[in-house]
Amino acid sequence: MKMTMNYTITEASNEKTIERYLLEQGYSQSLIRHLRNTENAITAGGRAVYTTHRLISGETLTIAFPDEKNSEHIVPARMPIDILFEDEHLLVINKSSGVPIHPSQGNFDNTLANGLAWYFKEKQESFTFRAINRLDRDTTGLLIVAKNPLSACILSDMVKRHEIHRRYLAVVQGELPIEGIIDSPIARTHDSTIERCVDPVNGDPARTFFQRLFYDPATNHSLAGLRLETGRTHQIRVHLKSIGHPLPGDFLYNPDYRYIKRQSLHSFRLDFIHPVTRVPLFFEAALPADMQFIGITSTEGLWDNDF
């Protein structure tokens, strides 16, 4: 389905070039170049114009995005997808465990991308897969998928500016301190392309803030609330292990499957400003059933909203 954006030019934007105006709306340079090279994609006052055109207060600038092709090499596959929010610009999804984000070797048709390809095929809409934040295969919870190139470039820029706020829940072994900061660089281990480790010499800066929300003496596990200042691969899993509180069920860092069969990590909360409408959005995904072995089913009243 072709998307069109209409902008009524105010006095504040009078005499601005279209290029400058679009950059201020969050369009990337590459997206502007693509539109510039597409016939009749940019019109002002009802006529096709160049991006050097200077806008006039009161006129309407229309951006007609060209039809998109389906993502290549993504085979539609029917699967349940828990969609918490959808409009013409984005989806917010509560991902299940055991679901990779996108196809790779060994995961050709069982990924979230495959499921969304099926979902949009059933709706008879084109589909280009644009995951804004990534979760490991066995990590559950909230993620954002952009539905068009405009929302994709704005949301990606918001990620870089730390304007998409994410909070995680993890069950960890032992009695976690009440709160703390783990400030330890992370690097690849020398003999693996997948595994990471704390490496003060060769690692990239990584910072994790944590709170203990609950402790279960019967299983000797804690429920941790987590906030990341950086987004290194496996950051939470590596950092918690480095302070002696690894996640159970983690096949790489702590393969203890007595209580849970996958890493006990959940993307719990997302809040951000909608990339186009600028409306504040807020989402939470309840603690998954397989993480409730520590004796609680809800985090209500446990989480510090200022954390």
Side-chain angles (χ1 to χ4, degrees), residues 3-302:
M3 185 183 79
T4 300
M5 296 292 296
N6 293 303
Y7 302 95
T8 300
I9 305 306
T10 65
E11 186 64 35
S13 298
N14 190 53
E15 287 295 308
K16 286 181 181 178
T17 66
I18 288 176
E19 180 173 12
R20 180 183 171 190
Y21 181 83
L22 293 180
L23 287 170
E24 291 176 353
Q25 305 309 308
Y27 289 65
S28 65
Q29 286 283 7
S30 61
L31 179 54
I32 292 172
R33 280 195 300 272
H34 179 58
L35 293 168
R36 187 187 295 141
N37 294 328
T38 302
E39 187 177 0
N40 296 323
I42 304 172
T43 59
R47 61 187 180 88
V49 291
Y50 295 107
T51 54
T52 54
H53 170 80
R54 292 192 177 274
L55 295 164
I56 302 169
S57 177
E59 74 179 337
T60 299
L61 172 65
T62 299
I63 308 298
F65 290 81
D67 287 327
E68 292 194 287
K69 295 180 180 180
N70 290 326
S71 291
E72 294 183 4
H73 312 304
I74 296 181
V75 179
R78 187 170 191 169
M79 67 176 64
I81 300 177
D82 185 7
I83 297 173
L84 303 187
F85 175 86
E86 180 179 7
D87 66 6
E88 66 177 311
H89 300 289
L90 62 93
L91 296 154
V92 176
I93 293 168
N94 182 16
K95 188 183 83 68
S96 302
S97 64
V99 179
I101 296 294
H102 51 76
S104 60
Q105 186 175 1
N107 295 296
F108 180 67
D109 59 2
N110 62 333
T111 73
L112 179 64
N114 299 113
L116 286 174
W118 177 279
Y119 174 74
F120 285 106
K121 180 182 177 182
E122 291 293 292
K123 294 175 67 173
Q124 298 184 336
E125 294 181 15
S126 61
F127 166 70
T128 300
F129 186 57
R130 302 179 178 94
I132 300 303
N133 59 309
R134 305 296 177 96
L135 299 176
D136 294 334
R137 179 191 65 192
D138 290 330
T139 299
T140 55
L142 299 170
L143 58 83
I144 307 168
V145 176
K147 290 179 65 175
N148 59 62
L150 175 59
S151 60
C153 68
I154 297 174
L155 286 165
S156 296
D157 198 45
M158 289 170 67
V159 169
K160 294 175 185 175
R161 297 197 305 264
H162 305 287
E163 293 175 355
I164 296 178
H165 306 292
R166 291 176 279 179
R167 301 293 183 269
Y168 296 83
L169 296 172
V171 176
V172 303
Q173 287 186 353
E175 188 171 2
L176 190 69
I178 290 294
E179 62 182 12
I181 303 171
I182 308 169
D183 192 351
S184 302
I186 292 175
R188 273 197 181 98
T189 58
H190 72 279
D191 56 352
S192 174
T193 59
I194 301 173
E195 191 173 352
R196 266 57 174 180
C197 65
V198 167
D199 186 337
V201 176
N202 302 306
D204 294 317
R207 221 167 181 221
T208 301
F209 298 81
F210 68 84
Q211 288 184 342
R212 188 183 76 216
L213 305 180
F214 181 79
Y215 173 64
D216 176 31
T219 61
N220 188 33
H221 284 80
S222 301
L223 180 66
L226 299 147
R227 174 170 62 86
L228 305 184
E229 189 174 283
T230 53
R232 307 301 175 198
T233 300
H234 300 174
Q235 179 171 322
I236 289 173
R237 298 157 66 186
V238 171
H239 268 176
L240 271 296
K241 179 182 179 180
S242 74
I243 63 168
H245 296 283
L247 281 60
D250 189 332
F251 77 99
L252 267 180
Y253 305 107
N254 184 37
D256 176 358
Y257 303 116
R258 291 175 297 162
Y259 297 101
I260 188 169
K261 303 303 181 186
R262 53 99 182 178
Q263 64 215 25
S264 52
L265 182 59
H266 178 62
S267 176
F268 165 66
R269 177 181 289 175
L270 268 179
D271 63 274
F272 58 99
I273 303 299
H274 191 287
V276 177
T277 67
R278 309 307 296 166
V279 173
L281 298 176
F282 177 87
F283 304 94
E284 286 188 355
L287 190 69
D290 63 355
M291 289 177 61
Q292 296 175 16
F293 67 85
I294 58 170
I296 61 171
T297 59
S298 171
T299 59
E300 188 174 353
L302 297 176

